[in-house]
Amino acid sequence: MQRQIVDYALSRRARLAEVHAGRTAVAEVCDANPYLLRAAKFHGRPSATLCPICRKEQVTLVSWVFGDRLGQVSGSARSNDEIARLDATAEEFTVHVVEVCRTCSWNHLVQSYVAGLPPRSTRTRRVAK
């Protein structure tokens, strides 16, 4: 269950306006590292959004998970199915969704949210009678 959702559409729009106005170079926004491009290939999911820079393909959405209690899973790209399993079993963690173009390397954070079980200190305890 997603909560504390943050949408970065305004930031994205402002960044693209800077590029189209010539105040920011295309090379500055098309800088996806090889790890992100590889994650898009193997863990990403297609979107209907056309790349705003090269307009050659739809961007791929990659979800990254971060959390103190995730161990070595933290900081890795995960599929929606894997995130759903973590949501049902792992303590609270954050998901960052990044759009990436595998052609020109455009990338931008589009959304973040909190998922997972509430921290143990805030869960209610049932007392056996």
Side-chain angles (χ1 to χ4, degrees), residues 51-122:
C51 175
I53 301 296
C54 73
R55 302 191 186 283
K56 292 182 180 175
E57 70 174 69
Q58 280 80 17
V59 294
T60 301
L61 300 175
V62 183
S63 296
W64 299 87
V65 296
F66 298 93
D68 295 336
R69 304 248 187 225
L70 292 179
Q72 64 189 55
V73 171
S74 183
S76 63
R78 296 292 159 172
S79 69
N80 282 349
D81 289 340
E82 292 170 312
I83 292 171
R85 283 193 294 276
L86 286 171
D87 186 45
T89 60
E91 199 167 296
E92 197 169 82
F93 59 95
T94 304
V95 179
H96 293 223
V97 182
V98 178
E99 68 178 12
V100 60
C101 176
R102 293 173 48 201
T103 298
C104 72
S105 297
W106 156 261
N107 63 101
H108 197 276
L109 176 65
V110 292
Q111 184 184 62
S112 67
Y113 61 91
V114 173
L117 302 171
R120 292 183 194 272
S121 61
T122 61

